[in-house]
Amino acid sequence: MGTSKVERPERLAKKLLQIRMKLGLSQTEMANALEKYGVKMLRSYIGAYELKIRVPSSLVLLAYAKLANISTDVIIDDERDLPKGF
């Protein structure tokens, strides 16, 4: 049984934290806000994403993008920055 490290964008965790902070939400509030987009989430997952412990699914990233009114590629692509104000 092999374990492989999941590749992730280097700046992903920081961007997810920036989005949550810009929205003025606690981790619990962020989890609740993501549920509006069909993503059931534990508060602890939000912290795990922000600390690079867990990698969010594509559906979670899509929900983040919708909440922040930005494109998912801005979140995922390390060569792109979040819009000004984030």
Side-chain angles (χ1 to χ4, degrees):
M1 298 187 209
T3 58
S4 62
K5 185 172 174 141
V6 176
E7 290 187 37
R8 73 183 101 200
E10 187 62 35
R11 296 175 55 206
L12 179 61
K14 181 180 178 182
K15 287 181 180 181
L16 296 179
L17 174 61
Q18 285 179 289
I19 290 169
R20 182 175 65 78
M21 299 305 289
K22 176 63 178 174
L23 296 173
L25 301 175
S26 68
Q27 291 179 350
T28 300
E29 292 167 333
M30 186 66 171
N32 292 336
L34 292 172
E35 284 191 31
K36 295 174 187 172
Y37 294 98
V39 177
K40 290 259 183 201
M41 179 77 45
L42 296 173
R43 180 215 53 84
S44 61
Y45 283 20
I46 303 298
Y49 298 149
E50 295 172 359
L51 294 172
K52 296 184 181 183
I53 296 169
R54 294 182 66 97
V55 178
S57 71
S58 56
L59 292 176
V60 170
L61 292 173
L62 180 60
Y64 265 86
K66 287 180 178 180
L67 275 171
N69 198 30
I70 59 175
S71 176
T72 54
D73 64 319
V74 173
I75 297 172
I76 298 167
D77 188 347
D78 278 338
E79 293 182 14
R80 298 192 61 189
D81 293 326
L82 292 174
K84 289 212 183 276
F86 277 95

